Amino acid sequence: MFIFDTATDVAPIVLFLFAFQLFVIRERIPNLRQILVGFGFVVVGLGLFLVGLEESLFPLGRLMAQQLTDPGFIAQVSGHIDRALVWQDFYWVYLFAAALGFSTTLAEPALMAVAIKANAVSGGAIGVWGLRVAVAIGAGIGVALGCFRIITGLPLQYFIAAGYLMVILQTALAPKMIVPLAYDSGGVTTSTVTVPLIAALGLGLAEAVPGRSPLLDGFGLVAFAALFPIISVLAYGQLAVLREKTSKAGQEKTELREEQDHAF
Amino acid sequence: MKDSLTALSKDALFSLRDLAPIVVVIAVFQIFVIKQPVDGILSLVFGGLLVVAGLACFIFGLRIALFPIGEGLAHALAKKGSAFWLFTFSFVLGFGTTIAEPSLLAVANEAARVAVDAGVIEDTDEAIAGYALGLRLVVALSVGVALLLGVLRIITNWSLPLMIIAGYVLVIIVTTMAPPEIVGVAYDSGGVTTSTVTVPLVTALGVGLAGSLKGRNPMTDGFGLIAFASLTPILFVLLYGIATQWI
């Protein structure tokens, strides 16, 4: 049964933590009853989540992929076409992917927490909203570009290698304080609800588009959603520095002019 | 009792909010773009409710059980100053939390199903479960190593960008040698490891450790562990793909 399966998934971490508390720190486990009840909730919750996933998020991702790539649907939205489909015909897929990546990331609670912390650490230089929008734009572009890759069947590693190269270049140019934050923001976008849905979307696309194989082309959307926010957050940091420089230069100019005015 | 009920309903609200943007985007597309009846909408809604309820219970349980004991241990071990136990703890924490990570479970099962359809593994329950478990063990191992490396970096104060860039370069080199059917799964597993369970505990470990070492800023030195945890799974799964080719 599913409760038994998830219990074996959770058991290792529980045993490890208890062993450390008892044998390394050598202290009793505080609030043992509360902790045991909590782990009970973890096991039941994980089981329900996985069952719900099979019933809803997986079929939903597949369904969206099938409907948006259906030749009948594409003929209907773009007038009747009697030729083979090219990648431009799938523009609703890219729009859907971008909307999904952007909106789920903007609403992500973990990202909000990171943004508030980053705002405090940077002394206000990194805006809470600015960072959230930067990460969400990165995720939206990432998922849309990932769908484009699945539809065209281009090799995943070219995109990833180009993305990494971009990150390396930007790391050299961006302000130092934004770098660790940017690296971590890649992991923040891929939440527990989003991952199964976009994974199913990718596999569904690879199944529905003629000539693609789910095994070779279906994966990679999650990787795109994790990579592109790094680029967009680094870009956001570079933009913030640029803006500061120009506004400082502007200030100096006006100050100079004022001094000249006083001289006359 | 009443407090925990309000806490539980708050977690349910948070899970609903997690799901809300997905529901809105899909609803808009269904109503205005696709304009077709959806088959089995009842089971979709029911499944969605199960997801919300399950996630709420899961996070509530984490909050009252895993986080207090995990954070307490991270602080106590960082203070204790024994490098051996600190490394052991980081490794075990990464491994244990990743095995219980819901999104990894989901993606590993999908990957196994796709592997069956493509004829890479046999269509038996045993082979599917074995493939999914093997993938999860490799990813869990890699996150354990990632945390070990991350903690080592905080102690030795090595440069984070240099280590990450070296990791990326290594990933690109290993990709050229790996069998093509593992590449997609490998890259995806990097984004999968860093969600509900791992992030809060790992952040507690990093910030706690940087706070108890002299001359470290908990804010800047504490970050970066997640970056390692999303890089090593790619490398390890690629290597796993290369290794299974020869067996």
Side-chain angles (χ1 to χ4, degrees):
Chain A
M1 260 301 286
F2 74 88
I3 295 291
F4 180 76
D5 283 338
T6 52
T8 53
D9 293 329
V10 177
I13 185 70
V14 179
L15 291 179
F16 287 143
L17 288 176
F18 280 13
F20 263 90
Q21 185 79 19
L22 293 174
F23 301 119
V24 181
I25 301 292
R26 300 218 177 101
E27 274 175 29
R28 277 188 331 113
I29 294 158
N31 302 328
L32 184 61
R33 239 178 61 118
Q34 181 194 328
I35 286 178
L36 288 178
V37 171
F39 279 124
F41 269 99
V42 168
V43 169
V44 173
L46 189 56
L48 289 179
F49 173 78
L50 290 174
V51 173
L53 216 58
E54 292 291 331
E55 296 285 321
S56 67
L57 289 180
F58 279 150
L60 210 52
R62 280 226 163 70
L63 181 75
M64 291 305 295
Q66 270 163 15
Q67 289 182 322
L68 289 173
T69 53
D70 183 51
F73 165 76
I74 290 172
Q76 193 192 334
V77 289
S78 54
H80 292 283
I81 32 178
D82 332 303
R83 55 180 167 79
L85 293 176
V86 290
W87 66 267
Q88 291 95 329
D89 292 325
F90 295 98
Y91 59 91
W92 278 114
V93 175
Y94 314 133
L95 273 175
F96 175 70
L100 200 65
F102 183 85
S103 64
T104 52
T105 306
L106 203 62
E108 172 64 42
L111 178 61
M112 252 176 259
V114 169
I116 290 167
K117 209 182 254 179
N119 181 275
V121 178
S122 66
I126 301 170
V128 174
W129 265 101
L131 185 70
R132 281 176 63 193
V133 171
V135 177
I137 288 176
I141 293 177
V143 183
L145 200 63
C147 289
F148 165 76
R149 184 201 73 80
I150 291 175
I151 286 170
T152 52
L154 293 167
L156 175 63
Q157 48 266 45
Y158 292 177
F159 285 84
I160 299 284
Y164 282 163
L165 209 64
M166 188 80 191
V167 170
I168 293 172
L169 279 175
Q170 282 181 297
T171 302
L173 299 171
K176 286 278 161 296
M177 82 186 165
I178 198 118
V179 171
L181 187 70
Y183 288 167
D184 275 0
S185 63
V188 170
T189 53
T190 42
S191 85
T192 314
V193 182
T194 320
V195 165
L197 184 72
I198 59 175
L201 180 70
L203 289 171
L205 279 178
E207 278 161 11
V209 176
R212 298 289 161 266
S213 113
L215 189 66
L216 290 174
D217 305 304
F219 292 95
L221 278 188
V222 180
F224 274 70
L227 175 62
F228 281 81
I230 307 183
I231 296 176
S232 64
V233 172
L234 286 172
Y236 173 70
Q238 290 174 291
L239 255 171
V241 168
L242 208 69
R243 214 167 41 197
E244 208 167 286
K245 262 189 199 153
T246 49
S247 73
K248 246 188 205 155
Q251 258 172 16
E252 274 163 19
K253 246 184 215 160
T254 48
E255 273 166 24
L256 204 67
R257 206 174 296 142
E258 272 168 22
E259 273 170 30
Q260 284 171 338
D261 285 347
H262 281 290
F264 282 111
Chain B
M1 185 62 206
K2 211 177 160 197
D3 285 349
S4 35
L5 266 183
T6 41
L8 187 60
S9 47
K10 208 177 258 173
D11 284 330
L13 269 180
F14 273 121
S15 314
L16 261 181
R17 203 174 64 180
D18 246 9
L19 203 62
I22 294 177
V23 173
V24 170
V25 170
I26 290 181
V28 166
F29 269 77
Q30 285 293 345
I31 295 168
F32 296 107
V33 183
I34 298 173
K35 296 182 208 157
Q36 267 169 22
V38 178
D39 289 338
I41 189 155
L42 268 179
S43 109
L44 287 179
V45 171
F46 178 67
L49 289 177
L50 274 186
V51 165
V52 170
L55 209 57
C57 287
F58 182 73
I59 290 170
F60 174 73
L62 285 184
R63 213 187 339 247
I64 67 169
L66 193 64
F67 293 164
I69 186 172
E71 279 170 23
L73 271 172
H75 286 295
L77 280 167
K79 223 177 248 161
K80 201 172 188 258
S82 152
F84 171 76
W85 283 119
L86 198 57
F87 287 139
T88 316
F89 180 70
S90 322
F91 179 80
V92 161
L93 188 72
F95 186 89
T97 51
T98 306
I99 282 287
E101 186 66 71
S103 34
L104 177 61
L105 264 163
V107 168
N109 287 338
E110 279 296 273
R113 201 188 56 79
V114 171
V116 169
D117 289 346
V120 177
I121 55 172
E122 282 171 58
D123 190 5
T124 60
D125 285 349
E126 248 169 75
I128 294 171
Y131 184 88
L133 185 67
L135 199 61
R136 283 171 57 211
L137 284 175
V138 170
V139 174
L141 195 72
S142 72
V143 176
V145 171
L147 293 204
L148 220 156
L149 270 177
V151 167
L152 193 66
R153 185 196 76 84
I154 293 177
I155 293 175
T156 56
N157 214 3
W158 288 337
S159 153
L160 174 69
L162 270 185
M163 289 177 82
I164 296 286
I165 289 170
Y168 284 160
V169 172
L170 210 58
V171 165
I172 293 171
I173 295 171
V174 176
T175 302
T176 58
M177 295 182 271
E181 62 268 14
I182 200 81
V183 172
V185 180
Y187 284 152
D188 273 359
S189 60
V192 163
T193 51
T194 47
S195 44
T196 324
V197 196
T198 320
V199 174
L201 278 182
V202 165
T203 312
L205 178 70
V207 174
L209 184 59
S212 59
L213 284 171
K214 266 190 194 148
R216 300 284 192 283
N217 178 349
M219 284 306 186
T220 48
D221 291 317
F223 286 115
L225 282 177
I226 310 282
F228 280 110
S230 30
L231 198 135
T232 53
I234 308 180
L235 202 59
F236 275 53
V237 174
L238 286 173
L239 290 173
Y240 174 66
I242 296 174
T244 47
Q245 240 181 348
W246 291 347
I247 294 167

